[in-house]
Amino acid sequence: MNKPKMASEKGVPSNSSLLTLLDQIERMNGEAMLRDTELARHVTAKILHLIQTQEKSGREIMSKGSSGMEVILASLENCRDVQTTLNILYILTELLSVGRGHRVEVFVSKGGTGILFQILIAASKESPPSMELMLHLHSLLAKVGPKDRRFGMKARLSGALNVTVSLIRQNLQNTKLLLPCLHVLRVYSSNLVNAMSLGKIEGVELMFKIIGPYSKKNTTLLKVALDALGALLKSKTNARRAVDGGYVAVLLSLYQDWHRNDTRCRHILIRKGLLVCLRNITNIKLGRKAFIDADGMRILHNSSTECLPVRTLDPLVNTSSLIMRKCFPKNRLPLPTMKSAFQFQLPHIPAGGPVAQLYSHPPGVDDVVDDSDDNEEAEADTDTENDEDEKDNYMLNDDIETDLNKLYPKRSLCRPFEELKVYERFFLELSEDFQGYTLKGPKSTNSMPLSASPSSLSASARSSRPVTVPTAQTQPPNDIPTPRSQGDCNSTKGHETRPSSSALKLTPSPPVTPLDLDNIHLSKDKDKKEEASSPPDGDKVIEKELVSPFECVSLEEKEDLNADGSERVRREGSPINATRHIQSPLLLGGIPTLRVGSGGSNFGSDCGSEGADEEGGEGAVLEVPDTARLLPLHNPDLYVEMVKETCSVPRYAEVAYPDYFGHVAPTFKEPLLERLYGVQRSKIFQDIERLIHPNDILDKVVYDLDIPNCPLVKDEGESLKFNSQFESGNLRKAIQARKYEYDLVLNADINSNHYHQWFYFEVSGMRVGVTYRFNIINCEKSNSQFNYGMQVLMYSVQEAISGRPCWVRTGTDICYYKNYFARSSIAAGGQKGKSYYTLTFSMSFSHKDDVCYFAYHYPYTFSTLKMHLSKLEDLRTPQIYLRQDVLCETLGGNHCPLLTITAMPESKSSNHIYQFRNRPLIFLSARVHPGETNASWVMKGTLEFLMGTSTLAASLREAYIFKIVPMLNPDGVINGNHRCSLSGEDLNRQWQNPNPELHPTIYHTKSLLQYLAHIQRAPLVFCDYHGHSRKKNVFMYGCSLKETVWQSNISATSSDLQEDLGYRTLPKILSEIAPAFSMASSSFVVERSKESTARVVVWREIGVQRSYTMESTLCGCDQGKYKGFQIGTRELEEMGAQFCVALLRLKRLIGFRNHQHGWDLDNDVIAIPAKTVSSPSTYVMEEDEPSFLEAIDYSAESNDEDAEPENELADEAQENLDQLSD
C-alpha cells in the first residue's frame, strides 16, 4: 500500500500531539514497523489513549480532508505484531462507535473491510490463533458488515466464511467469542449465495447446537443465533436440510417451551426468532408438510390464542398467522366446475381469448383445482397486507402507451357510409321538419312517431310466462325450468303483440307529479303547487311521507272475468288507505305463492312436495308500503309486467321484494365503518380452527344451484334458507359450516369461469338475537373497499312493511382476506398457486321470521330500468322531445333501449328548425359492467334531471341533443353477472372490433358514433358511466396525448404535443360543483391495456376530445362534504344531476369561446389562481397554457388504497390490470 501523506485539518494546530503520532506511525509503515515492534506498540497505544480521552481527537481523524484513516489502515495492513494489531483494532472500534454510521461508510470507502478480512485469514493460520485478536476482528466486522453492500462477496472470496464457522465450532462454550462470531455469521447469511455455502459446511446444524430450551442465561447469544439461523433458512437448500434433519419438530418444541415459560413476556425477540425460522422453512413444500405432520397448526393456534389478549405480543400472533395461513392445506371449492351454473350456447365461438379456451377444454377436465396447486415457493412474506404500491406503480408506468402513432386521435372510419346509412333512423331529430306536429300541444303529439319504444314494449308482452310475486320465503317450485337455450325467449322477436289473457293486468296508477329539479339534490316532493309557494326541505318531505299509511295488496283469486276472458282488476277506497286487489301469482302458471300475515310466514310448497300450500288456493294477504307515493318512478304492478317481458337464461319466475317494493333512500348518512383492531386475524383463526377441530364443522349444503330441480335443500333443522333465483340474483351455493356460520359461493359469469364479485340473494328463517357469520369464499380481487369502511347492503321486508322500504348498510366484523381455497390455473388465466379471497361479515337480525336480502351494491335490474323509462314518459311535457328506440336485440333476446332527449323547437319556422337540428350532441352510456350498479343510479339521476321541469333542465335540453344508452349490457345485468355479457367477454374490451353477433350492443353503439362522425356531427362529449370497487369518490378518466407523453418519458417535439386542453374543462367544473367528485383522483393518461375501451376508442377513432369514463365509488368519499360517509343512491343520483349542470356550464363556456381566446377562457371563468406544482406526479404547464391544472394522481387506475395503519397480514399481488377500471 502506498504511503499517504498526512494533511492536517484546517484550523487544527500543526503541533497537535495526535498529528505528530500519526506522522510518526506513517513513517514506520513497512519494514520499520516490523523492526521496531515496541515503538509501534507505544505509538498506537498513545493514539488509542488520546482518542479515548479526547473526543476532539476522533473528529480530527475522521474530518473531511484528513488522511488519518488512510494512515491507520495502512499501518494495520503492514503490521505483523499481534499487540500492535490489537491496538489499531481498538482505535478503529473507538472511531466507528461514534456517530450514526457515517464513519463506518468512510471506513468502507477506504477499503477497510478487505483489510480486516486479510488480517482474519492471516490470524487463522497462526497456531494457535489469538482468541483476543479473533474476538476483536469479528466485533469490528459485525459493526462494518451491515454498511458494506459487498460484504458478503468479499467474505466469500477471501475465505472468511470457513474461518468463522470453524471458530464457532471450536468455541461453542466460549460465550464471549461466540457472540461476535454469530453477529458476523448473521451478516454473512444475508447474502443468499453465502447462505448456501454455509449450509454446505453444516452451518445450519451448527446453529441448532447453540439454540436450546428456555433459560435465563445467554439470552442475547440465543437471539443472535436465531437471527443467523433464520437468515440461513431463507435458502431453499438449507430449508430442505433442516426438514431432512427433523428440525421442524425441534423448533416447534422449543417455541412451546419458551412460550410456556416466558410468562412475563421478557423474551419476545427469542420467540419471534423461532417463528421466523419456521416461517422460512415453510416457504418450501416439504417444510409445510413437515410442519403439518409435527402438529404445528395446533401448536401455533393454541399459543397464538393465548397471546391475543396481550397487545405487545402482536408480532408473535402476526407471524404465527402467516405461517398457519401458508401451511393451511389448499382446499377445493365445493363446486363440480368453475363454469357458471347456467349454460348459454353462443351462435359461434370466438377464435381466441378466454371464451375460446373455455370451450377448448375436453370434457371431464377438472377446472376447479390443479393436480398440484402448491407452489414450491410460497408468496413473499411481509408483515403488511398491502405491499403492492411500488409494484402497481411500476406496472402502471409500463402500461402507459408510448407509441405516438397510437396517441394521435385519428378517425378510423373503416366502414363505408352506405353501410352506416341504416343508422339514420336513430337520428330523426337531425332531419325532422315537425310539419306533422302541433308544437306546444298535448303530450301525445310531441314525438316518437316511428320507433318502437320501451313504452310500447311494456304494452307488448313478448312472452306470458308466469311470475311469482313476491318471492320472500317462498320455497322454489317442484318443477323449476331448466336453463334454456338461446331461442327460448325469441318466439315473438320483433313483433308487437297484445298482452295475453293469462298475463297480469295492471290498473293505471294515478298521475305522477313531475320531479322538481331546480336544485341539484334530487328531492321528490309531493305537491308542486305547494312547493311553488313554500318550498319544503326535501329530506323532511320524504321523512314525512315515510310515516304515511301504507296500502295492502290482497293477492286474492279473482273469479269474475271480463267478457274477453281477461281478469277484472278493481280498486276501491282512497289512494292512501286503499287495499289493492290483484290476481294471485298462484294462478299465473300454477306456481305456489307466499302467504304472509301479521309478520308470520308460511311456505306455499316444500321443495319435494307437489302443488301449493293447502291454504294457498284462496290467496294470501301482504301489506305493501305505498312506495309509489314516495317514488314517482316506481310502480310495483308495472315492474311485474316488465319482469314478464325480460328474458333470462335460467328463466326466472320470481320477483325479489326490494325490486317489487322499491327503495327509498334513507334520510340519514351512513358513516364508513370503523375497522376494529384484529378483526381479520380473529376471522383467520376461526378458519384455522376448522382444520384443527374438523368434528365441529357441520358442512351441510342448504342451497345449491347445481341441483337441477331443487336448489333449496329440504331441511328440517334450524338452518337459514337462501334464494337467488330472481333477476340480477347471484348465489350459487350455501353451506352451513357451523350452527350460525355459512360459507357462500358465488356463480361465475355465464360462459366464463371467473369474475366472482357481485352478489344478491335472499335469506330467511333467521332467529332474533343471534349473530350469524357469512363468508363469501370465492372472491377474486386481491383487495377491496370492504377493508376500508364499506359495508354490505341489506333490505328487510319487515322493515319495509313497517314503513322503511330501503337498502341499508349493515354488517360488523367485516374484512376481506386471502383464504385457503385454491384457484385453478384454468380459472386464473394460466397462473398457478393462486387463491381465492373471502369477504366475511357478521349480522344480527332484528325481526323473527324476517326475509332479508343482501347485495354487493344497490341493485338496479333491467326490469327496473324499463319501468323507469316507462314512467319517465309521464314526466314529458309538450316542450320536451323524447324518443325511445330499440337499438338492437341482445344475445339473450332482450331489447337495448336508446333514448333521445332534447327540447322541442320553439316553432315550425325554418330558423327554429335549423337551430333544433344543429344542437351539439351529448352521448351517454352506462352499465357495461353488470356489477357496477352505481352507474345505473347515476344514470337515473341524469335522466330525471333531463326530464325535469326546472329552468336548468329546460336550458340544458335547449342546449344539446342527448343520445343515451342507459344499459349497454342488459343480459349481464339480468343474469347476475359481475363483468361480462352472455358471450363471456368484457364488453368494454371489445370496442376496437366488436362482433355484431357476440357484442351487438357495442357494435351498434359504435356504429351510431361512426355514423355521426361520417356526417360531421361527432358528439361534443362522450361519457361512459362506471363504478369503481377499490377507490373512493367519483372521478374521471380521459385521454390526453400530452399528459401521456409526459408520463411515459418518450421523446417528442413541441409540435407533436400541441393539444387543446378542453378535455379538462368538464371534470374541472364537476370538481367545483359536485361534492363527491375528486379531480385529484382523475387521470388523462392513455394506457395500452385500455386501448379497446369505449373511452379510448371514441377519442382515437371517432375524434371526440372530451371522451370520458366517469367512475363512481362503491364505497364512499374521503374528501368534500361527504368525507367519512358511505355513498348512497341519493348521492349517486345527485351526481347524475350535477353532471347535467356541468354540461350546461360547459355549453356556456363554449359559447363564450367564440368571443375570446379558448386557452384563457376556462381559467377566467373557473377563477382558479395560477400555481406552480412540484409533485412528482404533476407536470408544469408552459406559460401560454392554462395554469389551473392541479396535481394528477397517475396511479388512479390501480384501484389501490394507501396502506392503512392496521394491516395485519401479507397480501397478494394485484390482479390483471384489465379488471381494475374502465
Side-chain angles (χ1 to χ4, degrees):
M1 183 174 182
N2 295 330
K3 296 181 181 180
K5 294 184 178 180
M6 277 293 301
S8 62
E9 182 183 6
K10 184 177 180 181
V12 177
S14 59
N15 58 355
S16 166
S17 300
L18 179 62
L19 292 180
T20 302
L21 293 172
L22 288 173
D23 184 64
Q24 186 176 359
I25 199 173
E26 181 184 12
R27 292 194 301 270
M28 292 178 59
N29 276 336
E31 297 180 0
M33 182 171 288
L34 297 177
R35 292 194 305 267
D36 200 346
T37 303
E38 289 299 326
L39 180 59
R41 292 179 180 178
H42 176 73
V43 173
T44 53
K46 291 189 68 173
I47 294 175
L48 175 62
H49 177 74
L50 286 174
I51 293 175
Q52 290 175 335
T53 57
Q54 298 180 14
E55 184 179 347
K56 176 183 176 182
S57 299
R59 290 200 302 267
E60 289 179 4
I61 294 177
M62 300 303 302
S63 62
K64 186 176 181 181
S66 172
S67 58
M69 179 59 72
E70 288 94 328
V71 172
I72 293 174
L73 290 177
S75 302
L76 179 62
E77 185 179 20
N78 296 323
C79 181
R80 297 294 180 266
D81 177 57
V82 173
Q83 186 59 52
T84 304
T85 301
L86 284 172
N87 288 345
I88 297 176
L89 292 178
Y90 292 144
I91 292 171
L92 290 172
T93 302
E94 292 290 337
L95 289 173
L96 302 183
S97 298
V98 179
R100 299 182 179 179
H102 172 69
R103 293 187 177 185
V104 177
E105 293 173 355
V106 172
F107 175 84
V108 172
S109 67
K110 304 295 185 183
T113 308
I115 295 173
L116 291 181
F117 282 132
Q118 291 178 24
I119 303 300
L120 178 64
I121 298 300
S124 66
K125 296 177 180 178
E126 299 291 334
S127 182
S130 169
M131 291 297 105
E132 187 177 7
L133 181 59
M134 287 295 186
L135 171 64
H136 287 89
L137 276 171
H138 281 88
S139 298
L140 201 54
L141 285 169
K143 188 183 297 292
V144 171
K147 292 292 184 179
D148 189 347
R149 294 183 179 181
R150 306 185 59 165
F151 185 82
M153 184 187 69
K154 294 174 183 176
R156 184 172 64 255
L157 295 178
S158 65
L161 301 183
N162 290 331
V163 173
T164 302
V165 170
S166 176
L167 198 61
I168 293 174
R169 187 177 288 113
Q170 297 170 11
N171 295 274
L172 290 176
Q173 305 305 318
N174 186 348
T175 305
K176 186 176 180 180
L177 177 60
L178 201 57
L179 184 59
C181 290
L182 290 173
H183 275 296
V184 175
L185 187 68
R186 179 178 60 181
V187 184
Y188 289 164
S189 304
S190 61
N191 181 290
L192 186 60
V193 178
N194 284 353
M196 296 172 62
S197 300
L198 289 168
K200 293 177 181 178
I201 56 177
E202 299 185 350
V204 174
E205 292 81 355
L206 185 60
M207 291 301 100
F208 277 101
K209 293 180 180 179
I210 299 174
I211 61 177
Y214 176 80
S215 173
K216 294 182 180 180
K217 298 180 179 180
N218 301 324
T219 55
T220 302
L221 179 71
L222 185 56
K223 169 64 178 65
V224 177
L226 286 170
D227 288 345
L229 179 60
L232 286 169
L233 293 174
K234 287 183 179 180
S235 161
K236 289 193 297 181
T237 304
N238 291 343
R240 291 192 193 97
R241 186 174 283 107
V243 172
D244 295 340
Y247 291 121
V248 173
V250 173
L251 288 170
L252 286 169
S253 176
L254 289 173
Y255 183 74
Q256 273 186 302
D257 184 62
W258 280 89
H259 171 75
R260 189 183 307 113
N261 291 287
D262 185 24
T263 55
R264 296 189 178 183
C265 303
R266 293 179 175 177
H267 305 294
I268 296 177
L269 292 179
I270 292 178
R271 293 158 66 180
K272 175 71 180 292
L274 289 165
L275 290 175
V276 168
C277 293
L278 286 170
R279 185 188 68 183
N280 292 343
I281 289 178
T282 52
N283 278 340
I284 64 171
K285 185 176 180 179
L286 285 175
R288 293 191 283 274
K289 183 179 184 302
F291 179 84
I292 295 293
D293 294 343
D295 201 19
M297 296 293 285
R298 182 188 60 80
I299 292 172
L300 290 194
H301 177 271
N302 293 344
S303 62
S304 299
T305 303
E306 295 173 5
C307 293
L308 283 175
V310 185
R311 189 73 172 263
T312 56
L313 298 180
D314 278 355
L316 303 182
V317 177
N318 291 341
T319 308
S320 297
S321 299
L322 283 172
I323 298 169
M324 289 186 287
R325 291 183 68 187
K326 187 169 27 178
C327 296
F328 204 112
K330 290 293 183 69
N331 288 357
R332 175 193 179 94
L333 269 179
L335 294 176
T337 176
M338 290 311 302
K339 298 177 184 177
S340 173
F342 307 132
Q343 303 300 318
F344 180 84
Q345 184 61 46
L346 296 175
H348 68 269
I349 308 302
V355 179
Q357 295 176 7
L358 190 72
Y359 278 86
S360 66
H361 296 307
V365 171
D366 189 355
D367 64 346
V368 180
V369 66
D370 295 329
D371 292 336
S372 176
D373 255 333
D374 206 352
N375 279 354
E376 184 65 18
E377 284 294 312
E379 293 81 17
D381 297 307
T382 62
D383 289 330
T384 60
E385 286 181 326
N386 298 303
D387 57 339
E388 308 169 11
D389 292 345
E390 293 182 4
K391 296 178 183 177
D392 291 344
N393 290 334
Y394 177 77
M395 293 171 69
L396 287 169
N397 288 335
D398 276 356
D399 192 38
I400 294 176
E401 183 60 71
T402 57
D403 187 347
L404 277 176
N405 293 324
K406 292 184 178 180
L407 287 175
Y408 291 124
K410 294 180 180 178
R411 293 185 182 181
S412 177
L413 304 176
C414 53
R415 297 180 63 187
F417 184 63
E418 292 300 321
E419 205 176 291
L420 295 171
K421 284 185 69 175
V422 296
Y423 295 95
E424 183 178 5
R425 64 190 180 93
F426 294 108
F427 298 96
L428 299 177
E429 66 279 1
L430 300 183
S431 58
E432 182 64 70
D433 58 10
F434 293 93
Q435 297 308 311
Y437 287 75
T438 302
L439 298 183
K440 309 284 186 179
K443 279 187 191 179
S444 59
T445 64
N446 269 0
S447 62
M448 302 177 58
L450 299 175
S451 301
S453 68
S455 62
S456 65
L457 298 179
S458 66
S460 59
R462 288 174 288 152
S463 64
S464 56
R465 56 190 177 80
V467 176
T468 300
V469 184
T471 64
Q473 291 190 347
T474 305
Q475 294 276 6
N478 188 38
D479 186 19
I480 295 291
T482 56
R484 60 176 179 79
S485 64
Q486 179 183 358
D488 289 345
C489 195
N490 300 342
S491 58
T492 58
K493 281 185 186 178
H495 301 284
E496 294 189 9
T497 61
R498 302 293 299 172
S500 66
S501 60
S502 63
L504 179 62
K505 226 178 178 184
L506 300 177
T507 301
S509 58
V512 180
T513 305
L515 300 181
D516 175 28
L517 293 171
D518 286 308
N519 54 9
I520 307 304
H521 306 277
L522 306 169
S523 59
K524 303 175 177 64
D525 298 338
K526 183 172 69 174
D527 189 7
K528 295 296 293 182
K529 294 181 180 179
E530 293 178 1
E531 179 181 329
S533 59
S534 176
D537 179 74
D539 289 350
K540 293 181 180 178
V541 170
I542 293 180
E543 188 173 359
K544 182 178 179 181
E545 295 284 359
L546 278 170
V547 298
S548 302
F550 294 96
E551 294 186 50
C552 293
V553 176
S554 178
L555 303 178
E556 297 179 357
E557 179 181 352
K558 305 305 292 182
E559 298 179 357
D560 50 330
L561 302 178
N562 294 331
D564 60 355
S566 62
E567 297 85 351
R568 181 183 302 131
V569 181
R570 182 173 64 253
R571 295 201 62 163
E572 300 176 356
S574 67
I576 297 180
N577 298 317
T579 297
R580 295 190 293 156
H581 300 279
I582 65 174
Q583 179 194 24
S584 169
L586 179 61
L587 299 180
L588 303 181
I591 296 180
T593 187
L594 169 70
R595 296 177 51 80
V596 178
S598 303
S601 64
N602 295 309
F603 296 100
S605 170
D606 284 330
C607 198
S609 64
E610 297 181 4
D613 181 47
E614 57 185 0
E615 299 178 0
E618 299 299 323
V621 177
L622 172 67
E623 292 187 3
V624 180
D626 185 14
T627 51
R629 291 177 51 80
L630 304 175
L631 298 172
L633 296 186
H634 187 85
N635 184 308
D637 299 331
L638 180 58
Y639 182 80
V640 173
E641 286 299 305
M642 297 304 175
V643 171
K644 292 179 181 179
E645 302 161 11
T646 300
C647 299
S648 62
V649 172
R651 302 185 68 183
Y652 291 133
E654 302 175 3
V655 176
Y657 263 112
D659 305 321
Y660 180 71
F661 285 166
H663 161 71
V664 179
T667 57
F668 53 89
K669 292 185 176 69
E670 297 172 291
L672 293 168
L673 181 68
E674 183 178 354
R675 179 169 172 173
L676 299 177
Y677 182 82
V679 60
Q680 176 173 299
R681 186 173 58 197
S682 65
K683 297 297 182 182
I684 291 172
F685 273 45
Q686 292 175 26
D687 291 347
I688 292 171
E689 288 175 4
R690 298 189 185 194
L691 181 67
I692 301 172
H693 307 294
N695 295 332
D696 297 342
I697 304 304
L698 300 177
D699 201 25
K700 181 171 67 175
V701 177
V702 296
Y703 181 76
D704 191 355
L705 282 182
D706 291 300
I707 300 177
N709 297 323
C710 189
L712 182 57
V713 180
K714 188 174 182 180
D715 175 55
E716 303 297 336
E718 300 179 347
S719 303
L720 294 177
K721 296 174 178 61
F722 294 83
N723 183 29
S724 62
Q725 294 186 287
F726 44 80
E727 187 174 348
S728 293
N730 190 316
L731 177 66
R732 182 169 184 169
K733 194 169 189 176
I735 303 168
Q736 187 175 14
R738 297 183 177 96
K739 186 175 183 180
Y740 300 117
E741 181 177 355
Y742 293 83
D743 288 345
L744 309 178
V745 184
L746 303 182
N747 195 22
D749 287 4
I750 293 175
N751 278 315
S752 171
N753 54 17
H754 56 302
Y755 297 119
H756 305 94
Q757 207 77 21
W758 165 258
F759 58 87
Y760 182 20
F761 58 88
E762 170 194 300
V763 177
S764 59
M766 65 282 293
R767 288 185 171 188
V768 176
V770 171
T771 299
Y772 293 89
R773 177 183 172 185
F774 299 96
N775 310 308
I776 300 175
I777 60 175
N778 64 329
C779 301
E780 293 177 357
K781 293 192 174 183
S782 62
N783 205 350
S784 169
Q785 284 292 315
F786 285 114
N787 278 335
Y788 307 107
M790 188 166 88
Q791 294 176 279
V792 298
L793 283 152
M794 187 191 76
Y795 192 106
S796 165
V797 173
Q798 292 282 12
E799 288 291 311
I801 293 173
S802 302
R804 294 173 292 276
C806 59
W807 288 96
V808 295
R809 301 278 187 173
T810 190
T812 58
D813 293 346
I814 300 177
C815 61
Y816 186 97
Y817 58 92
K818 186 169 66 174
N819 61 31
Y820 46 85
F821 287 104
R823 188 177 175 192
S824 71
S825 58
I826 295 177
Q831 301 180 69
K832 287 193 173 184
K834 292 290 184 180
S835 297
Y836 286 101
Y837 290 77
T838 291
L839 164 63
T840 181
F841 62 94
S842 299
M843 181 68 204
S844 295
F845 297 96
S846 303
H847 304 285
K848 182 182 179 182
D849 293 329
D850 197 359
V851 180
C852 294
Y853 292 78
F854 292 97
Y856 182 62
H857 198 67
Y858 300 94
Y860 191 102
T861 65
F862 181 58
S863 298
T864 299
L865 172 68
K866 293 190 294 182
M867 175 189 66
H868 284 165
L869 295 182
S870 179
K871 298 290 285 183
L872 275 175
E873 290 190 40
D874 297 333
L875 303 180
R876 181 158 52 90
T877 66
Q879 292 76 33
I880 300 177
Y881 181 99
L882 169 67
R883 192 177 71 253
Q884 301 185 29
D885 300 304
V886 175
L887 175 63
C888 63
E889 191 172 81
T890 66
L891 276 172
N894 295 286
H895 289 170
C896 179
L898 169 67
L899 276 69
T900 304
I901 302 175
T902 188
M904 295 291 288
E906 294 184 22
S907 70
K908 297 180 182 179
S909 69
S910 59
N911 186 41
H912 287 154
I913 298 297
Y914 175 82
Q915 292 177 357
F916 172 87
R917 293 177 181 176
N918 286 277
R919 292 169 183 165
L921 277 86
I922 303 293
F923 204 108
L924 305 178
S925 62
R927 206 68 185 283
V928 70
H929 295 145
E932 297 168 5
T933 58
N934 46 358
S936 284
W937 289 100
V938 176
M939 179 59 76
K940 179 175 181 287
T942 295
L943 293 174
E944 288 190 33
F945 186 91
L946 286 174
M947 295 299 297
T949 58
S950 68
T951 304
L952 289 176
S955 299
L956 188 63
R957 291 191 296 268
E958 292 170 0
Y960 298 111
I961 296 173
F962 285 87
K963 307 297 287 191
I964 302 174
V965 184
M967 192 171 284
L968 280 168
N969 192 352
D971 291 342
V973 172
I974 293 165
N975 294 286
N977 284 5
H978 175 66
R979 195 167 183 90
C980 300
S981 68
L982 293 184
S983 69
E985 297 168 296
D986 182 349
L987 290 183
N988 204 36
R989 294 297 185 277
Q990 311 305 322
W991 277 80
Q992 279 187 323
N993 188 28
N995 184 289
E997 288 187 313
L998 297 179
H999 325 117
T1001 60
I1002 304 302
Y1003 179 84
H1004 293 293
T1005 302
K1006 183 177 181 181
S1007 297
L1008 293 178
L1009 291 162
Q1010 288 175 322
Y1011 172 79
L1012 289 173
H1014 261 295
I1015 64 172
Q1016 306 299 313
R1017 293 296 302 275
L1020 176 70
V1021 173
F1022 172 86
C1023 190
D1024 191 18
Y1025 292 0
H1026 280 250
H1028 209 286
S1029 67
R1030 302 214 304 186
K1031 285 186 71 68
K1032 292 182 171 68
N1033 309 315
V1034 180
F1035 48 93
M1036 274 184 164
Y1037 297 141
C1039 302
S1040 165
L1041 164 67
K1042 186 174 291 187
E1043 297 191 30
T1044 304
V1045 168
W1046 279 330
Q1047 288 301 306
S1048 61
N1049 295 322
I1050 61 177
S1051 59
T1053 63
S1054 59
S1055 60
D1056 293 332
L1057 301 181
Q1058 292 300 318
E1059 184 176 46
D1060 183 353
L1061 295 178
Y1063 66 89
R1064 293 186 66 93
T1065 307
L1066 183 60
K1068 186 59 190 178
I1069 294 172
L1070 283 171
S1071 71
E1072 296 294 313
I1073 67 173
F1077 191 86
S1078 170
M1079 189 68 174
S1081 296
S1082 300
S1083 173
F1084 304 93
V1085 175
V1086 180
E1087 308 90 338
R1088 295 189 186 96
S1089 61
K1090 308 298 189 301
E1091 63 181 4
S1092 57
T1093 61
R1095 156 177 72 98
V1096 178
V1097 170
V1098 172
W1099 171 72
R1100 181 179 293 161
E1101 297 184 16
I1102 309 300
V1104 178
Q1105 180 198 31
R1106 298 177 178 87
S1107 179
Y1108 306 105
T1109 298
M1110 186 164 74
E1111 302 270 1
S1112 300
T1113 178
L1114 293 167
C1115 177
C1117 298
D1118 58 12
Q1119 52 92 49
K1121 76 174 186 178
Y1122 297 140
K1123 181 178 181 179
F1125 293 99
Q1126 299 184 73
I1127 203 162
T1129 57
R1130 186 186 305 276
E1131 292 75 32
L1132 292 169
E1133 292 183 51
E1134 176 190 272
M1135 188 66 232
Q1138 286 161 336
F1139 182 83
C1140 293
V1141 176
L1143 288 174
L1144 189 58
R1145 289 187 62 180
L1146 177 67
K1147 172 65 176 177
R1148 292 170 181 170
L1149 294 177
I1150 293 174
F1152 190 53
R1153 185 169 291 178
N1154 295 328
H1155 305 287
Q1156 82 177 63
H1157 196 274
W1159 289 135
D1160 302 325
L1161 172 70
D1162 296 341
N1163 195 32
D1164 293 341
V1165 177
I1166 300 176
I1168 301 298
K1171 58 184 177 181
T1172 302
V1173 188
S1174 59
S1175 170
S1177 62
T1178 307
Y1179 57 86
V1180 180
M1181 304 302 300
E1182 297 174 2
E1183 293 180 356
D1184 60 341
E1185 294 174 336
S1187 57
F1188 63 81
L1189 305 178
E1190 64 291 284
I1192 304 169
D1193 179 9
Y1194 286 99
S1195 63
E1197 293 189 79
S1198 69
N1199 259 351
D1200 270 335
E1201 277 293 316
D1202 292 333
E1204 294 289 312
E1206 188 231 341
N1207 291 322
E1208 300 156 2
L1209 301 172
D1211 198 11
E1212 194 175 87
Q1214 183 183 8
E1215 73 273 7
N1216 294 335
L1217 283 171
D1218 63 351
Q1219 298 183 26
L1220 301 186
S1221 58
D1222 277 338

